[in-house]
Amino acid sequence: MTDSIMSKAATMEIPINSNGDTGTLPEDDSLEQDLQQVMVSGPNLNETSIVSGGYGGTAEGIIPTSSMKGSNMHHSSSSSSMSAEEATRGVAVEKLETMKKWGLNTYKCTKQMISERFGRGSRTVDLELEAQIEVLRDTKRKYENVLRLARALTNHFYNMVQTQHALGDTFADLSQKSPELRDEFGYNAETQKLLCKNGETLLGAINFFVSSINTLVNKTMEDTLMTIKMYENARLEYDAYRSDLEELSLGPRDAVAMARIEAAQQQYQTQKDKYERLRSDVIIKLKFLEENKVKVMHKQLLLFHNAISAYFAGNQQQLEQTLKQFNIKLRPPGADKPSWLEEQ
């Protein structure tokens, strides 16, 4: 029994890491089961083998004395265990490499950013493109202010329409209960109801205006600004790797240094391609955004002007025609779902 245990222990592999230190042995369940079996039943001479060579001998030096069925089962179990261990180790190594690259990239970009802030590092500048980006950001701030004021106007006007509706109902009720003032209360009730109806029509136009401006500002412009943010990050990475390559190029030119320069050149080219691709994307998106903005605002400003003018001129027919012109449909009263007026 002792010889069998020593034979199995003598052929175990001890993993060595890159520094020459012994690694931690994984738990071998099959080895523990074999030891327990030996302790219970004792050695079986029919399942022993003679090793003609020492440790590390060739396969020819192992002479089996019986069937290798049990040995093959143990070998299969050990192989599956080692495969699972290798797969786990491969995932861990991959994650470690990813974290290493991320940390190195973060360090280079932080170093470049600090250098730019203190005026010690060079920065790639596209004056024309950066001017267009600044114009977009300023335009977005102004449109956000228009959107805020238009929403405030909608809320105030909605409250006024609700008040007119309540006032018209009150006048109508008093017209029924005050015979001596029936006519006076009656035509005031009709006036308030008409104003309320026109007000709801105007609110439909303003609500359409607000919705369109909101889409332009918070979706279309925001999407372009997200691409710009990616472009600016790529520009920072590009300058960081460019500066790194320039520093290495000024150093010694031995074999190790040349290998580092070559690796830095490849990384620099990768970042340059990414920077130029995102720069092209920003230019295209800015162009299409400007065209879309002009088209949308031309329509919405015309709608806003015509609706406001028709309402305050008391031209009910023109106000309704304006909504038809821009395909705006108001929810009919008594609909199952609450109207947008009720959702304010």
Side-chain angles (χ1 to χ4, degrees):
M1 177 177 66
T2 306
D3 293 340
S4 177
I5 297 174
M6 292 299 294
S7 175
K8 190 171 187 67
T11 58
M12 291 176 57
E13 295 184 2
I14 303 177
I16 306 297
N17 61 21
S18 59
N19 294 326
D21 298 330
T22 58
T24 303
L25 285 173
E27 295 182 1
D28 194 341
D29 295 336
S30 61
L31 176 59
E32 183 179 353
Q33 293 174 1
D34 289 345
L35 289 175
Q36 291 177 355
Q37 182 179 0
V38 170
M39 294 296 292
V40 173
S41 61
N44 188 344
L45 296 178
N46 293 326
E47 297 180 358
T48 59
S49 61
I50 301 172
V51 182
S52 62
Y55 174 75
T58 61
E60 290 78 1
I62 301 176
I63 305 175
T65 60
S66 65
S67 173
M68 298 301 294
K69 182 177 180 180
S71 177
N72 290 337
M73 291 177 62
H74 173 66
H75 178 72
S76 176
S77 176
S78 300
S79 298
S80 62
S81 177
M82 290 299 295
S83 298
E85 179 187 352
E86 290 175 357
T88 304
R89 185 177 300 172
V91 173
V93 170
E94 184 179 354
K95 290 183 178 180
L96 183 62
E97 285 296 322
T98 302
M99 290 296 296
K100 182 179 177 181
K101 291 179 180 179
W102 176 82
L104 182 61
N105 184 72
T106 303
Y107 166 74
K108 291 180 182 294
C109 292
T110 304
K111 179 182 176 182
Q112 177 66 24
M113 185 184 299
I114 294 175
S115 299
E116 291 178 5
R117 291 284 178 87
F118 289 94
R120 294 195 299 265
S122 59
R123 177 177 183 272
T124 301
V125 179
D126 189 329
L127 295 177
E128 182 179 358
L129 182 57
E130 292 194 3
Q132 293 177 6
I133 292 173
E134 187 57 35
V135 168
L136 171 59
R137 286 175 173 152
D138 184 61
T139 301
K140 185 173 183 290
R141 285 191 294 266
K142 293 177 179 178
Y143 277 45
E144 286 173 339
N145 189 42
V146 171
L147 181 61
R148 180 182 60 83
L149 293 173
R151 282 174 171 165
L153 176 63
T154 303
N155 291 331
H156 295 322
F157 200 77
Y158 168 74
N159 291 330
M160 188 185 76
V161 170
Q162 291 295 96
T163 303
Q164 289 175 335
H165 188 276
L167 189 59
D169 291 342
T170 303
F171 283 155
D173 182 63
L174 288 172
S175 175
Q176 298 295 326
K177 296 179 180 180
S178 304
E180 66 280 4
L181 295 174
R182 176 176 300 174
D183 294 339
E184 289 81 358
F185 278 126
Y187 60 69
N188 273 282
E190 291 298 325
T191 300
Q192 293 302 319
K193 289 181 180 180
L194 179 61
L195 290 173
C196 182
K197 180 181 178 181
N198 291 343
E200 290 180 350
T201 305
L202 177 61
L203 279 171
I206 298 177
N207 184 68
F208 185 77
F209 175 82
V210 169
S211 177
S212 299
I213 301 300
N214 179 66
T215 301
L216 177 64
V217 172
N218 293 319
K219 291 185 179 180
T220 310
M221 289 185 178
E222 189 62 31
D223 176 71
T224 303
L225 288 173
M226 286 297 295
T227 306
I228 289 173
K229 185 176 181 180
M230 294 169 59
Y231 157 74
E232 291 174 341
N233 290 337
R235 196 279 310 163
L236 182 64
E237 291 178 350
Y238 165 68
D239 282 337
Y241 283 91
R242 177 182 55 78
S243 299
D244 186 50
L245 178 61
E246 291 174 354
E247 290 178 4
L248 290 174
S249 300
L250 297 176
R253 292 304 182 101
D254 54 9
V256 176
M258 291 302 297
R260 291 179 178 176
I261 292 174
E262 183 178 355
Q265 179 68 39
Q266 293 177 354
Q267 293 174 342
Y268 162 78
Q269 188 61 44
T270 301
Q271 296 299 329
K272 182 180 179 182
D273 293 341
K274 179 182 178 182
Y275 164 75
E276 291 179 348
R277 183 181 71 255
L278 285 170
R279 177 178 175 274
S280 177
D281 291 345
V282 169
I283 292 174
I284 293 173
K285 283 200 171 187
L286 285 173
K287 178 182 178 181
F288 283 111
L289 174 62
E290 182 64 23
E291 295 175 355
N292 186 45
K293 182 194 72 175
V294 172
K295 182 179 178 181
V296 169
M297 292 308 299
H298 174 77
K299 176 181 178 180
Q300 295 304 317
L301 291 173
L302 185 61
L303 163 68
F304 192 81
H305 173 269
N306 291 348
I308 292 288
S309 300
Y311 174 82
F312 284 100
N315 192 336
Q316 180 181 359
Q317 184 178 0
Q318 183 181 352
L319 182 59
E320 293 176 352
Q321 184 63 33
T322 300
L323 267 67
K324 291 180 181 180
Q325 178 184 354
F326 293 95
N327 298 320
I328 302 173
K329 297 181 180 180
L330 298 178
R331 187 177 298 277
D336 295 334
K337 294 183 180 180
S339 67
W340 66 267
L341 289 172
E342 297 171 350
E343 294 174 352
Q344 294 294 324

